Amino acid sequence: MSMEAFFSPRSVAVVGASREKGKVGHEILASIVRGGYEGKIFPVNPKAADVEGIPCHPDLKSIGETPDLVVIVVPARVVPMVMEECAAVGAKAVVVITAGFKEVGDDGKALENRILGIAKRAGIRMIGPNCLGVMVPSHKLNASFGGDLPVPGGIAYLSQSGALLAAILDLANANGIGFSKLVSIGNKADVDELDLIRAFGQDPETKVIAGYLESITHGNAFVREAEGISAEKPILLMKSGGTGAGAAAASSHTGSLAGGETAYEAVFERAGIVRCSSIKEQFDHAQAFAQQPLPEGDRVAVITNAGGPGIMAADAIERQGLTFATLAEDTEARLAEGLPAAANIHNPIDVLGDALADRYELALDIALDDPNIDVVLVLLTPQAMTECAATAEAIVRVSKAKPGKPVLAAFMGARQVGEGIQALRQGGIPQYDSPEAAVATIRVMANYVRWRARPKRVVRLFPVNRRRVERIIDRYLRRHLREIGEMESKEILEAYGFVTPKGSLATTAEQAESIAEQLGYPVVMKIWSPDIVHKSDVGGVKVGLRKASDVRDAFDLMMYRIPKKMPEADILGVLVQEMCSTGQEVILGMNRDPRFGPLMMFGMGGIMVEVLKDVSFYLAPLTAQEARQMLKNTRTYQMLRGVRGQEGVDIDAVAEGLQRLSQLVTEFPQIQEMDINPYVVGLVGTSPIAVDARISVEGSAD
Ligand code: ADP
Ligand code: MG
């Protein structure tokens, strides 16, 4: 069923409507009436004759017709009975305002499951329980107790917190911000963020989807849906709380670095969702998206009546990585002709402190014609002669006449610019309290435009040996072992096209020596034990051994010292390995998020990973472009490219390694976490080497 009945019902019943002012059951009905709802209203209350002057019905049945929307405000224990009634009269859309469900513990959870079960069986869609309700300004529907109905507009809002929605409403109403729909999803027992972004995505009234979420229920479906919707309209989310994934139990580097939030960061990035950290930031962005066209590029021109704010804006533009527009010659000539001689005709265009509305009008009109400008930011400080309101009206007029490019304003101050700000808002020009805030929004718009223009995602599939990996993993799972040892981890990697160092296991010093002779010096020796996760930590790695006596000594020393340090560890011998002498050490890894699936990691490798934390994450499967972007998101990238005359390493080979790893973990959901550390990368044309690897698996062998 679509969400239509929630958003444009022809009739609404309020079960639990109360005569007592201040009670939620009264407030909801009063809100519906006060909002000017034009459909039929049915208060339901067996103990009252009428509420707010509207005759009451003792129950849903006695209404005699099926209300499109039913709002339930009765005490929690009575809700199941009312839900049964909803089913009996054939209601299809129900909002349960009542609290006292999942949020209060196990009994509440059981009660919630009961009403959900009734709803599901009857094909009822339910919003809530424990929510504030639904508002649709264009339909004059305020089925909530959140506050007054805001004006109609292009922003749809969904909130997992009712209280926050009340705060947003208050702020929005004070500033005249318009909405298409507002929904408080409460415990989201049935209707959740996925249903709503889908409905908002299809809603012609909605230009921007904004919301506050504490959790995302259907991880993968949400990412897919959001990615599709973001191609049409922006999604701006505030998100609090982590996924709680991995971190504590993690044995890999990737697992310990992938905190709960990293998955969300990666998801938002993948789906083109703009993450906001405050209500203010969210509405700063939302208004621009709702009211202005998208910029074609990131070249910003500034018009100002004061030098200081112009410089602040220029600084912010540079800091945010936007382009400070260079005006076309023709633009400067026209500005020189129309403005006083003292005015600055270069960006930032300074119309001077004594500018009246006409100079702003002229400058904006000329700027909007300039092919070198994508966005115009108009700044104003209230000086002696400034005409705040008239200037605002002029800005509105010009931007309406030339609607192709976004125009944003920052009228700075409070009381003196108040009327001007009012006029800007009414005219659909987003207003910011500082140049920085406006520039932050411009950056978000430019990023969004870039995200939309990104190339189509194509995931490359490498020819691999899946059977070989399957056999190893099955063998481990059958024995109920989680950690795959280094030798077999490397076998898995080889099956996916990775190169690993040659070497074998020695159980005596003599054997170690003969392996070393065969490999050729220098060699590396590593303690070999399923119980030792980080070998260097216990002195279990010796590199750069150049002769037979070094090898024998290293063997004896390890076999003597390590069992003392770790008496419990089962030590099988020492691995003698060829030494990769040149190259930089990076780490490639994966941690499987319970909701969103494999989360890939790239970063600075070696034994300092956790200390330096120079890592980046992205969701698998990776495209070549995404893999390269992961590299670029780290400082390590600069090193890989070569600093101070050093030759860079083969960056494409690293990106390819990430893609191969992404294929491996996508094809084997049994792999829970893994990393290759170090992955030693050399000059272009040489193969990177997976020197050390760790893989842990979970699941049942069948
Ligand atoms: P662990 O991570 O368990 O301590 P590693 O096998 O990763 O053990 O070895 C630790 C460090 O020793 C690596 O980060 C790398 O700097 C170095 N190293 C290990 N093996 C080799 C090798 N074959 N060639 C070059 N350097 C190596
Ligand atoms: Mg290592």
Side-chain angles (χ1 to χ4, degrees), residues 190-393:
D190 176 31
V191 171
D192 61 20
E193 57 282 356
L194 181 60
D195 297 300
L196 285 173
I197 61 163
R198 198 175 276 151
F200 293 162
Q202 289 163 358
D203 174 28
E205 252 191 2
T206 298
K207 289 197 171 148
V208 188
I209 300 170
Y212 165 79
L213 290 177
E214 284 159 8
S215 61
I216 290 175
T217 311
H218 308 285
N220 280 319
F222 182 84
V223 178
R224 267 197 311 274
E225 190 74 34
E227 195 177 350
I229 293 168
S230 293
E232 306 282 322
K233 37 184 115 173
I235 304 176
L236 314 172
L237 292 182
M238 275 195 284
K239 160 78 189 65
S240 65
T243 58
S251 69
S252 68
H253 299 283
T254 312
S256 67
L257 287 164
E261 282 307 286
T262 38
Y264 279 106
E265 294 288 341
V267 163
F268 284 16
E269 168 108 28
R270 165 75 186 271
I273 297 171
V274 179
R275 186 168 193 172
C276 306
S277 54
S278 67
I279 298 178
K280 177 184 177 295
E281 200 185 304
Q282 192 172 37
F283 282 93
D284 273 359
H285 303 336
Q287 284 193 84
F289 279 119
Q291 299 172 333
Q292 294 293 308
L294 292 171
E296 272 181 23
D298 70 348
R299 299 165 304 171
V300 188
V302 178
I303 300 172
T304 179
N305 67 346
I311 297 168
M312 286 163 74
D315 285 350
I317 288 165
E318 183 170 346
R319 252 198 325 273
Q320 299 273 15
L322 298 166
T323 306
F324 196 57
T326 308
L327 309 186
E329 258 176 53
D330 179 50
T331 303
E332 298 195 344
R334 284 172 69 194
L335 287 170
E337 198 182 301
L339 294 175
N344 185 22
I345 55 162
H346 311 294
N347 198 13
I349 302 164
D350 191 340
V351 295
L352 302 177
D354 61 350
L356 304 180
D358 61 337
R359 279 192 213 154
Y360 271 101
E361 185 157 10
L362 176 108
L364 181 59
D365 189 59
I366 295 171
L368 287 175
D369 287 340
D370 190 331
N372 295 350
I373 298 174
D374 298 311
V375 186
V376 182
L377 171 59
V378 185
L379 307 179
L380 175 144
T381 59
Q383 302 176 49
M385 321 245 317
T386 310
E387 301 174 322
C388 294
T391 303
E393 282 156 16

Side-chain angles (χ1 to χ4, degrees), residues 473-483 697-701:
I473 291 181
D474 281 354
R475 199 159 64 230
Y476 272 83
L477 291 177
R478 264 199 308 275
R479 292 188 318 209
H480 303 285
L481 294 173
R482 254 184 67 93
E483 299 290 331
V697 288
E698 228 169 64
S700 55

